[in-house]
C-alpha cells in the first residue's frame, strides 16, 4: 500500500513483522527486472508490490480458525462497516504460532515464533473524484521461545483527487517504527518518516506524463547486547530525497507505445544516483504483445556494509603473523560505492487460443561494483587477534536467462499453469573475494507446475509441484503442496493444506554469518473460515 518494507540496516526485510490479512489483499504484483525508475534505489532485480482493497470493498465480517503440526495456531477476524454515507472502515486482528523448524541433525533449531497483528483502515469518498485513506497496523512477534521480541507499528495516509480522465494528484505520508530485541544479536530501533507527492497529466493527445517528489528520514538506534557484533555509531540518521519523471508516448494508438523516464535520488551513502529506463511495447494483433526494455538501477550499501559495522566474526580462528591466533572479522567500508546494474529485457505474451496463454521473457544483466567479502587487509594482534575483512566493491559480471509460463484452461473447471526459469551467472572479482560463491548463490533452473480443479461449486483441489536447482551447500530438491477446500454452506469454508510433501525435511538456504540453517519440514494444517 505504498509503504517500503526494505530496511537499509542490513539490505533486507524483517518478514516476520510484515503480516497482512490475506482476505483483504486486492493484488500482489511481481514486477520482473529493475523497478528503480518508480521505486528508487534497491529495486534492482524485481519488485513485489502488495495492494489491499478499500474498506468499501470489505464490508461485513470475516473470521478464521485453524492449526496443525508446524503452523500450530492460526486465528483472525475482520469487520467492515460505515460511518455515514461516504466513509467506510474495517478493523482486524490475527494470531499465529509456529513451531521450531528442524536442523539437519534432527534437533530443533529453537526458532519458534508467535505473532499478533491488528489494525484498521478508513476510506472516505468526499465525491466521485476525491478519495482519502487512513490506515494503521501493528505486529508483535515473540521469537526463540519468548527469549527475543520484535514489533512494527506504522500508520499511512493518502489523498488522491482525479482532475480529469488523464490527470490526477496524489499525496502520501507514512510513519513506521521497527523495534527488535534479539538476545543472540542486538537490540535496535528504526523510525522512518516518508512523504511523497505525484501528478499525472496528459500532454497533447499522445503523451501521458507522471512526475513526483519524495523525502524519507530514518533514525536508527542500536543498543549493543551481543559482544560478537560491534557497531561504530549507535544513534545515526539517514536522509533520502528523490524526484522522478516518466512519459508514456503512444506513437501508434493501441499498437506502439514508448515509455521513458528516470529517477534522481540523493542518499547519505553514495550521494546522487540516476536511474533511467526505456520501454517499448508493440501489439501487432489483439492477442499478441511484444515488449523490450533497457534500465539502470543501483543498490546502495547497507548500514552494516558501509559506514557502521566495526566487527562481526566470519569464520574459525587461525594462526597468523607472529604466531598469534586471529579471528576473521567482517568490517564495514565507509568508501563503498553503490552496486550498478544495466538490464536488457525482451518479452512476448499471447493468447494462442481462447484457453491457452503464453508469457515468455529473456534478460541480460550487467553488474558493476558488486559488494562482496574480500581478502584480509589488516592483522590486529590481541588475545585473540583480529583479521580484518572489509566489504568492498570487489565483484562484477553478468547474468542472462529467461522465464516461460503457460496457462491452460483445460475445461471450465480445470486450470493448469506450468513455469520454467533459467539463470546463468558469470561473476568475476578480485583475488580472495570468492566470486564463485556469488555464482552459486541462486538456482540456475527452477520448474513449477500448478493445477486447480473444481469438482463442484463446493469442492476444489489445488496441487503444485516445484523443482529447485542446487545452490552452494544446498542440493537440488523437488517438493509439492496441496489444498483441499470444501464449502458446506455459502458463508462457510473448510480447508486442509499440506506443504513440502515429498521429504520429511529439506534445506533451502546455505551458510550465513550469525544465522542458523534450519530445514523446511513437511507440514499439515486445517482451517475453518466464516464470512458474515
Amino acid at each position: 500500500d505504498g509503504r517500503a518494507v526494505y530496511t537499509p540496516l542490513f539490505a533486507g526485510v524483517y518478514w516476520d513483522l510484515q503480516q497482512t490479512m490475506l482476505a483483504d489483499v486486492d493484488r500482489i504484483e511481481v514486477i520482473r527486472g529493475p523497478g528503480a525508475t518508480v521505486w528508487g534505489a534497491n529495486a534492482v532485480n524485481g519488485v513485489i508490490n502488495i495492494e489491499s482493497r478499500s474498506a468499501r470493498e470489505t464490508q461485513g465480517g470475516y473470521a478464521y480458525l485453524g492449526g496443525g503440526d508446524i503452523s500450530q495456531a492460526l486465528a483472525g477476524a475482520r469487520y467492515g462497516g460505515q460511518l455515514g454515507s461516504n466513509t467506510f472502515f474495517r478493523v482486524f486482528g490475527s494470531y499465529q504460532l509456529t513451531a521450531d523448524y528442524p536442523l539437519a541433525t534432527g534437533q530443533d533449531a529453537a526458532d519458534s515464533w508467535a505473532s499478533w497483528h491488528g489494525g484498521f483502515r478508513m476510506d472516505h469518498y468526499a465525491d466521485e473524484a476525491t478519495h482519502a485513506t487512513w490506515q494503521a497496523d501493528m505486529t508483535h512477534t515473540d521469537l526463540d521461545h519468548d527469549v527475543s521480541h520484535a514489533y512494527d507499528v506504522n500508520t499511512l495516509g493518502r489523498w488522491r483527487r482525479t482532475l480529469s480522465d488523464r490527470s490526477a494528484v496524489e499525496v502520501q505520508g507514512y510513519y513506521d517504527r521497527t523495534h527488535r530485541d534479539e538476545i543472540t544479536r542486538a537490540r535496535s530501533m528504526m523510525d522512518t518518516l516518508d512523504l511523497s507527492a505525484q501528478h499525472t497529466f496528459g500532454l497533447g493527445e499522445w503523451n501521458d506524463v507522471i512526475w513526483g517528489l519524495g523525502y524519507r528520514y530514518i533514525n536508527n538506534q542500536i543498543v549493543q547486547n551481543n559482544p560478537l557484533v560491534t557497531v561504530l555509531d549507535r544513534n545515526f540518521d539517514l536522509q533520502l530525497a528523490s524526484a522522478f519523471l516518466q512519459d508514456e508516448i503512444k506513437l501508434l494508438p493501441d499498437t506502439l507505445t514508448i515509455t521513458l523516464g528516470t529517477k534522481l535520488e540523493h542518499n547519505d551513502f553514495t550521494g546522487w544516483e540516476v536511474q533511467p529506463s526505456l520501454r517499448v511495447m508493440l501489439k501487432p494483433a489483439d492477442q499478441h504483445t511484444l515488449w523490450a526494455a533497457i534500465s539502470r538501477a543501483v543498490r546502495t550499501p547497507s548500514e552494516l556494509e558501509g559506514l557502521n559495522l566495526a566487527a562481526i566474526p566470519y569464520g574459525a580462528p587461525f594462526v597468523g603473523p607472529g604466531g598469534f591466533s586471529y579471528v576473521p572479522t567482517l568490517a564495514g567500508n565507509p568508501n563503498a560505492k553503490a552496486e550498478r546494474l544495466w538490464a536488457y529485457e525482451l518479452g512476448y505474451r499471447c493468447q494462442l487460443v481462447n484457453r491457452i496463454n503464453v508469457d515468455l521473457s529473456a534478460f541480460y544483466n550487467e553488474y558493476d561494483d558488486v559488494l562482496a567479502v574480500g581478502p584480509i587487509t589488516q592483522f590486529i594482534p590481541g588475545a585473540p587477534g583480529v583479521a580484518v575483512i572489509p566489504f568492498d566493491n570487489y565483484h562484477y559480471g553478468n547474468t542472462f536467462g529467461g522465464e516461460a509460463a503457460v496457462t491452460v484452461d483445460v475445461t471450465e473447471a480445470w486450470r493448469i499453469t506450468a513455469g520454467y526459469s533459467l539463470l546463468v551467472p558469470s561473476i568475476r572479482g578480485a583475488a580472495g573475494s570468492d566470486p564463485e560463491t556469488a555464482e552459486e548463490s541462486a538456482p540456475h533452473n527452477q520448474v513449477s507446475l500448478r493445477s486447480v480443479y473444481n469438482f463442484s461449486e463446493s469442492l476444489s483441489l489445488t496441487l503444485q509441484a516445484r523443482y529447485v536447482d542446487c545452490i552452494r551447500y544446498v542440493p537440488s530438491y523437488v517438493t509439492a503442496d496441496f489444498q483441499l477446500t470444501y464449502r458446506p454452506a455459502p458463508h462457510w469454508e473448510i480447508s486442509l493444506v499440506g506443504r513440502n510433501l515429498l521429504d520429511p525435511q529439506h534445506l533451502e538456504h546455505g551458510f550465513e554469518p550469525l544465522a542458523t540453517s534450519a530445514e523446511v519440514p513437511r507440514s499439515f494444517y486445517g482451517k475453518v473460515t466464516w464470512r458474515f
Side-chain angles (χ1 to χ4, degrees), residues 423 425 437-446 468-472:
L423 173 66
T437 296
E439 287 191 352
E440 297 173 8
S441 63
H444 292 194
N445 298 277
Q446 296 187 76
V468 180
D469 212 346
C470 61
I471 59 176
R472 175 163 284 199

Side-chain angles (χ1 to χ4, degrees), residues 253-302:
D254 301 321
T255 302
L256 179 61
T257 301
I258 294 178
T259 303
L260 54 91
T262 190
K263 188 150 194 168
L264 177 65
E265 288 186 322
H266 185 275
N267 68 81
D268 289 341
F269 293 110
T270 61
W272 291 102
E273 299 289 354
V274 180
Q275 299 173 96
S277 71
L278 170 65
R279 184 173 294 265
V280 179
M281 185 176 70
L282 174 65
K283 296 191 68 174
D286 289 342
Q287 306 300 328
H288 298 265
T289 301
L290 286 164
W291 61 271
I294 302 175
S295 309
R296 183 183 190 271
V298 302
R299 184 180 84 84
T300 56
S302 71

Side-chain angles (χ1 to χ4, degrees), residues 54 121-124 131-135 156-160:
S54 162
R121 171 166 173 159
M122 298 182 66
D123 289 275
H124 176 68
H131 177 199
T133 297
W134 178 34
Q135 63 190 60
L156 178 146
R158 183 188 308 111
W159 178 85
R160 179 180 175 84

Side-chain angles (χ1 to χ4, degrees), residues 506-527:
H506 66 271
L507 191 64
E508 292 190 359
H509 295 281
F511 166 78
E512 294 181 14
L514 299 180
T516 300
S517 296
E519 300 199 348
V520 179
R522 179 190 293 138
S523 64
F524 299 90
Y525 71 87
K527 187 170 75 170

Side-chain angles (χ1 to χ4, degrees), residues 134-191:
W134 178 34
Q135 63 190 60
D137 68 271
M138 178 178 180
T139 303
H140 182 275
T141 303
D142 295 316
L143 306 162
D144 304 335
H145 296 276
D146 209 23
V147 172
S148 302
H149 310 274
Y151 71 80
D152 177 89
V153 59
N154 66 83
T155 184
L156 178 146
R158 183 188 308 111
W159 178 85
R160 179 180 175 84
R161 181 169 179 80
T162 301
L163 305 177
S164 68
D165 291 343
R166 298 173 61 196
S167 180
V169 176
E170 181 177 294
V171 179
Q172 176 184 281
Y174 70 81
Y175 166 75
D176 183 289
R177 166 169 284 189
T178 299
H179 178 272
R180 301 189 77 84
D181 186 358
E182 298 186 66
I183 193 66
T184 58
R185 294 176 177 85
R187 187 161 66 249
S188 64
M189 185 163 63
M190 182 172 69
D191 292 289

Side-chain angles (χ1 to χ4, degrees), residues 462-485:
T462 299
L463 300 171
Q464 66 178 20
R466 294 177 291 123
Y467 166 79
V468 180
D469 212 346
C470 61
I471 59 176
R472 175 163 284 199
Y473 308 118
V474 180
S476 61
Y477 61 89
V478 179
T479 190
D481 314 304
F482 82 88
Q483 175 172 312
L484 181 65
T485 303

Side-chain angles (χ1 to χ4, degrees), residues 44-84:
V44 177
N45 291 316
V47 176
I48 301 173
N49 184 41
I50 302 173
E51 298 286 342
S52 64
R53 293 189 285 171
S54 162
R56 185 169 63 179
E57 300 173 301
T58 55
Q59 296 292 283
Y62 168 84
Y64 65 89
L65 180 66
D69 54 351
I70 299 298
S71 297
Q72 295 181 326
L74 301 166
R78 177 258 291 155
Y79 180 77
Q82 284 186 247
L83 299 173

